[in-house]
């Protein structure tokens, strides 16, 4: 079969057509199968979280992608179907703020029609009170909602757009009421900024049925000024909570689960910790990302992507799209978090708001 060369700004070792299995799962060079597809639907956001879209960089002159550059919902669904045929079992819609993409529920409807795939979305939550039911009706299964503090001044300082905590809490309630729970609540922990509120955050959601996940601050992109000493290791997060609310380790729900689970010993629920910096989980990383304008990224810390949009717009067949995707995944060797240093952190990388968190 002919492989249409995929336009790439990444250096990809070429894969011989004979090395691409005709069907079935795809394994990369480290034996990891592609299982999760993260789809970014916009690079824009109504927040300016200091660790993701610092206002000094993402200001009024920032060159966000023009509309015509974005993949259409039909184009996204087509790529998603090809991935599903290769064994991808989870789609996550993200961004930027995915609820800012007009009629995102239409995309959800198209993706929900693909059999055997779990469909989730990550959001800052403030648009959920008016959208949660629509998303549920379109076929969304669950949402993850980001909330970096339960203390209002700290949260306003972190989102840097003056959104109060109450707006996000209303979003969490709306999601639960619409049947999109249990909600996972993501808190990025930055030392000296919001780490004093770790226990308060745990306390607020303890017994609620929602699961708070504490995420180590990462050196994604090139604009967030990451420093190792601003990372609060997950071990420390667990210790701090355990001193107040005793915890015990819980088994992962499935192999390769990113969050490590900890249960409250009194049976009132669980928390998760995501230790992307201090305990790299690259060896089980099965994620690929599709950017807003249709580039594939095989790692969150990638410097370059592989353009798939050109292929779609040149009228390629599903078979051709499949073999191009396969050649990208089969050549994959990424393990950035295992080799991270202060130096690699300074390299130019793709911004998280563009590639999708
Ligand atoms: N806007 C949506 C939101 O905030 O949930 C979705 C996109 S956001 C990029 C996805 C997730 O990435 C959020 O939970 C966010 O907190 C997390 N994130 C962004 N920058 C991060 C960083 N530097 N370190 C760790 N997590 C980060
Ligand atoms: Fe927007 Fe999410 Fe990034 Fe915050 S973390 S700036 S809400 S994309
Ligand atoms: Fe996966 Fe890259 Fe993160 Fe490692 S650093 S877990 S390869 S996304």
């Amino acid at each position: 079969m002919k492989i249409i060369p995929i336009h790439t700004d990444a250096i990809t070792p070429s894969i011989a057509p004979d090395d691409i299995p005709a069907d079935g799962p795809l394994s990369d060079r480290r034996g990891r199968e592609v299982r999760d597809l993260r789809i970014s639907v916009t690079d824009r956001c109504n927040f300016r979280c200091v660790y993701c879209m610092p206002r000094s960089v993402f200001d009024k002159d920032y060159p966000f992608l023009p509309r015509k550059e974005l993949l259409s919902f039909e184009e996204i669904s087509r790529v998603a179907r090809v991935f599903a045929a290769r064994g991808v079992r989870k789609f996550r819609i993200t961004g930027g703020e995915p609820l800012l993409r007009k009629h995102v529920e239409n995309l959800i409807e198209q993706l929900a029609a693909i059999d055997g795939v779990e469909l989730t979305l990550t959001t800052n939550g403030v648009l959920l009170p008016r959208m949660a039911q629509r998303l549920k009706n379109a076929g969304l299964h669950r949402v993850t909602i980001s909330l970096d503090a339960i203390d209002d001044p700290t949260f306003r300082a972190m989102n840097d757009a003056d959104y109060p905590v109450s707006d996000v809490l209303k979003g969490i309630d709306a999601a639960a009421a619409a049947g999109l729970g249990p909600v996972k609540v993501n808190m990025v922990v930055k030392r000296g900024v919001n780490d004093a509120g770790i226990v308060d955050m745990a306390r607020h959601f303890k017994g609620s049925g929602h699961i708070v996940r504490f995420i180590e601050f990462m050196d994604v992109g090139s604009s967030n000024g990451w420093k190792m000493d601003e990372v609060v290791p997950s071990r420390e997060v667990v210790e701090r909570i355990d001193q107040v609310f005793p915890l015990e380790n819980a088994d992962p729900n499935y192999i390769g689960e990113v969050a490590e689970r900890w249960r409250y010993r009194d049976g009132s629920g669980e928390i998760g910790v995501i230790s992307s910096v201090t305990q790299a989980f690259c060896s089980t990383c099965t994620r690929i990302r599709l950017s807003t304008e249709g580039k594939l990224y095989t790692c969150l810390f990638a410097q370059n992507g592989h353009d798939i949009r050109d292929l779609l717009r040149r009228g390629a067949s599903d078979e051709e799209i499949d073999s191009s995707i396969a050649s990208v995944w089969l050549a994959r060797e990424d393990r950035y978090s295992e080799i991270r240093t202060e130096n690699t952190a300074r390299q130019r990388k793709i911004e998280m708001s563009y590639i999708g968190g």
Side-chain angles (χ1 to χ4, degrees), residues 48 50 152-161:
R48 283 293 178 273
V50 289
D152 217 45
T154 310
F155 182 60
R156 284 179 199 255
M158 276 192 98
N159 69 55
D160 202 14

Side-chain angles (χ1 to χ4, degrees), residues 42-54 58 94-98 100 122-125 146 148 155 158-159 188 352-354 356-357:
T42 178
D43 59 340
R44 293 166 196 259
C45 191
N46 41 356
F47 281 24
R48 283 293 178 273
C49 300
V50 289
Y51 54 77
C52 179
M53 295 179 79
F58 294 86
T94 176
E97 174 45 48
L100 290 183
T122 304
T123 171
N124 60 35
S146 304
D148 295 321
F155 182 60
M158 276 192 98
N159 69 55
V188 175
M352 195 159 183
S353 51
Y354 160 82

